[in-house]
Amino acid sequence: REKGSPLLPSRAHAHARPARRFTDEVSRRGPVVSRTRVTEFVVAVVPHALPRRVWFEARAMRPLEESEIQQVFEKLFKFVGKNLKNIVDRADQPHCFRLHKKRVYYVREDMMKRATSIARESLVSLGVCVGKFTHSDKFKLTIGALELLAAHAKHKMWVKPTSEMSFLYGNHLLKSGLGRITENTPANQGVVVFSMSDIPLGFGVAAKSTQDCRKLDASSIVAFHQADVGEYLRAEDDMVQGKKE
């Protein structure tokens, strides 16, 4: 249209409209977009329509959203029950949960405030990493949460010395390796696994209740493995985000 026409879109709208059309196209078609089309979109739109902060938004340290904190609390509640209140409202030092690069950290509030002075792309870790969100946005507890779970766990299992190495290599806990179990542990409940000297080794999910465990044969599974301290050696590169790079 002519330059003075009232229907002529402004410069900001001119750059925003291609972005909306491209976003709609990706939403409809999913990842089936040609590489050339993506390159043209980035070159044409980024300088004006997408500021630099947008590209780091997903990687920035931030408080968890309501849906995210709900997933985190549900996982923790499975292991600690009503003791979750003692984790959230600590009497000694205030702590909070923060999300950074898809990982959830349990950190002191004073440390979190100091971390805000570090550039987002330079911040590697802070506090204790208790879990991470997968590519499908499902939360998963990691071995970093072991100390927190062990201090507040409702249900526990103790593994015999002869079966410690098997569990530390990522295998499920069998009845033959079970030394003790807390009373009234229900099936499908989160349990923390200790050595017979009360050293936390990992955590998992109870396959059977306390009563059923007494009736099982030696080769039956009593706890499904989820994480163990052996991961600090087996999966060392995954402990810190970006170490492989």
Side-chain angles (χ1 to χ4, degrees):
R1 294 181 180 273
E2 295 180 0
K3 187 174 183 180
S5 172
L7 298 179
L8 183 68
S10 64
R11 185 172 181 232
H13 290 161
H15 292 289
R17 288 172 61 187
R20 286 197 300 270
R21 287 200 302 268
F22 183 80
T23 303
D24 293 341
E25 180 181 347
V26 174
S27 298
R28 291 193 306 270
R29 300 180 57 189
V32 187
V33 180
S34 67
R35 186 171 182 178
T36 305
R37 182 72 179 96
V38 174
T39 304
E40 292 173 354
F41 168 74
V42 172
V43 173
V45 176
V46 167
H48 305 290
L50 298 178
R52 185 172 182 267
R53 63 179 176 81
V54 173
W55 300 102
F56 295 100
E57 183 176 357
R59 301 175 67 84
M61 181 184 70
R62 62 171 175 81
L64 277 71
E65 297 177 358
E66 184 177 352
S67 60
E68 294 169 340
I69 199 68
Q70 182 178 355
Q71 289 192 59
V72 174
F73 284 177
E74 285 177 354
K75 290 288 186 179
L76 291 175
F77 185 82
K78 193 171 184 179
F79 288 87
V80 303
K82 294 181 180 180
N83 292 333
L84 178 61
K85 182 180 180 181
N86 300 329
I87 297 176
V88 178
D89 299 325
R90 291 185 56 161
D92 52 352
Q93 286 182 324
H95 280 64
C96 60
F97 292 93
R98 285 295 183 269
L99 182 69
H100 182 60
K101 299 179 181 178
K102 304 288 282 186
R103 295 176 183 249
V104 177
Y105 294 88
Y106 183 66
V107 57
R108 296 200 319 265
E109 288 189 359
D110 60 333
M111 183 182 296
M112 181 270 297
K113 293 176 181 178
R114 294 174 187 173
T116 56
S117 61
I118 303 175
R120 294 170 178 176
E121 54 269 32
S122 301
L123 183 63
V124 177
S125 177
L126 74 162
V128 178
C129 179
V130 297
K132 62 182 180 180
F133 283 94
T134 63
H135 294 294
S136 58
D137 290 330
K138 300 296 182 183
F139 179 71
K140 175 185 177 183
L141 288 171
T142 57
I143 188 58
L146 177 60
E147 184 178 357
L148 199 62
L149 299 180
H152 301 89
K154 287 184 60 181
H155 306 290
K156 304 176 182 179
M157 289 185 178
W158 287 263
V159 59
K160 295 178 181 178
T162 54
S163 299
E164 283 185 12
M165 289 304 296
S166 176
F167 182 78
L168 294 178
Y169 273 103
N171 299 314
H172 301 313
L173 180 60
L174 304 180
K175 171 65 184 302
S176 60
L178 181 64
R180 283 189 294 156
I181 182 174
T182 52
E183 290 294 331
N184 301 321
T185 298
N188 302 317
Q189 186 71 27
V191 292
V192 177
V193 179
F194 293 81
S195 67
M196 295 303 291
S197 55
D198 287 330
I199 298 175
L201 301 178
F203 54 89
V205 177
K208 301 291 182 180
S209 63
T210 302
Q211 292 74 17
D212 293 337
C213 285
R214 298 189 178 104
K215 307 172 186 177
L216 296 176
D217 57 85
S219 61
S220 298
I221 297 175
V222 293
F224 296 110
H225 173 278
Q226 283 193 343
D228 65 84
V229 293
E231 294 178 19
Y232 287 111
L233 294 178
R234 301 197 314 270
E236 182 181 0
D237 291 341
D238 294 331
M239 292 293 109
V240 178
Q241 183 79 357
K243 185 174 180 180
K244 290 181 178 180
E245 301 172 2

